[in-house]
Amino acid sequence: MVMRMVAKSYGIEKDYELLLGSTTYILKFNKCLNPNGIEKNLGVIPHRDKSFMTVIEQQEEGKGLEIQTKNGEWVQVHLSPSSSIVLAGDACMAWSNGRIEAPYHRVIMQQNKDRYSLVLSSFVKDLKIEVPQELVDEDHPLQFKAFDHYEYIKYVSDTTVEGNRMKGAISAYCGI
Ligand SMILES: O=C(O)CCC(=O)C(=O)O
Ligand SMILES: [Fe+2]
């Protein structure tokens, strides 16, 4: 829904519909353990999602998820149990020719209890992700070559933890 609106505003609905036809989803149940008094314990390491899009629901109201701003500051995302947050992943950033930023995020544990969240991620299967022509012009030269999403995931997992932490993994993989 969010993506459909974004695609419409860029005039690339047809390209988006094509991707949607090849989209698969993975639902992950995430548990971060009680930090047992350790202040500001890291729950999830800073990363950019390797998915196309991610939707996060946090079980309880509270702090935890943080997103890094362009000037390097970490800001807390306040999520109520009835709301979700939509994050763009690396694949969406590349597809949009860098127009849609995949946020660098992490989870910081600040309460003395386990934290549960539901993470729904989308991936594009059996179709190369290619920047729509409409998003390339003199002011916006092509930034990413066409790529296979699952090959990209394989590339990242082959480079182990380092690959997952790498902020610029997608640029290293298919950047121009
Ligand atoms: O649990 C969360 O709120 C975020 C988890 C996350 O960033 C991820 O699984 O990629
Ligand atoms: Fe994430």
Side-chain angles (χ1 to χ4, degrees):
M1 177 72 187
V2 175
M3 247 342 267
R4 208 168 253 145
M5 274 153 47
V6 173
K8 194 168 181 186
S9 74
Y10 285 137
I12 50 172
E13 294 144 284
K14 283 219 171 72
D15 306 83
Y16 181 62
E17 294 297 333
L18 190 70
L19 282 191
L20 209 55
S22 294
T23 298
T24 57
Y25 299 89
I26 293 178
L27 181 65
K28 197 170 70 175
F29 182 63
N30 221 12
K31 178 180 180 183
C32 293
L33 293 176
N34 185 335
N36 286 321
I38 302 170
E39 224 180 298
K40 288 230 165 194
N41 197 26
L42 199 58
V44 177
I45 59 160
H47 65 282
R48 275 177 162 152
D49 288 347
K50 308 298 174 279
S51 59
F52 190 83
M53 300 288 293
T54 306
V55 182
I56 302 173
E57 279 194 29
Q58 204 172 248
Q59 188 206 25
E60 275 184 68
E61 180 144 11
K63 301 164 186 168
L65 185 64
E66 296 191 355
I67 288 181
Q68 197 178 50
T69 62
K70 280 208 162 64
N71 55 23
E73 239 176 274
W74 287 102
V75 291
Q76 289 177 353
V77 180
H78 289 266
L79 274 179
S80 71
S82 58
S83 67
S84 338
I85 181 167
V86 180
L87 302 182
D90 276 348
C92 181
M93 182 161 83
W95 176 70
S96 70
N97 206 19
R99 277 180 169 77
I100 301 170
E101 175 90 10
Y104 201 51
H105 57 283
R106 66 182 183 184
V107 173
I108 293 285
M109 303 291 287
Q110 294 184 344
Q111 286 160 316
N112 265 327
K113 55 181 175 186
D114 296 340
R115 174 184 180 275
Y116 298 94
S117 54
L118 272 178
V119 182
L120 180 68
S121 307
S122 68
F123 297 88
V124 178
K125 206 173 177 188
D126 302 329
L127 178 75
K128 280 212 161 178
I129 298 182
E130 214 172 329
V131 175
Q133 276 306 315
E134 293 87 336
L135 299 184
V136 183
D137 57 35
E138 248 176 53
D139 297 332
H140 306 93
L142 185 66
Q143 288 187 38
F144 298 93
K145 287 179 265 189
F147 67 101
D148 181 284
H149 200 172
Y150 277 68
E151 290 294 325
Y152 172 57
I153 303 292
K154 188 171 173 304
Y155 162 80
V156 175
S157 52
D158 282 354
T159 42
T160 63
V161 180
E162 192 60 33
N164 197 29
R165 281 172 194 263
M166 244 168 78
K167 215 174 182 178
I170 190 74
S171 303
Y173 184 67
C174 62
I176 292 176

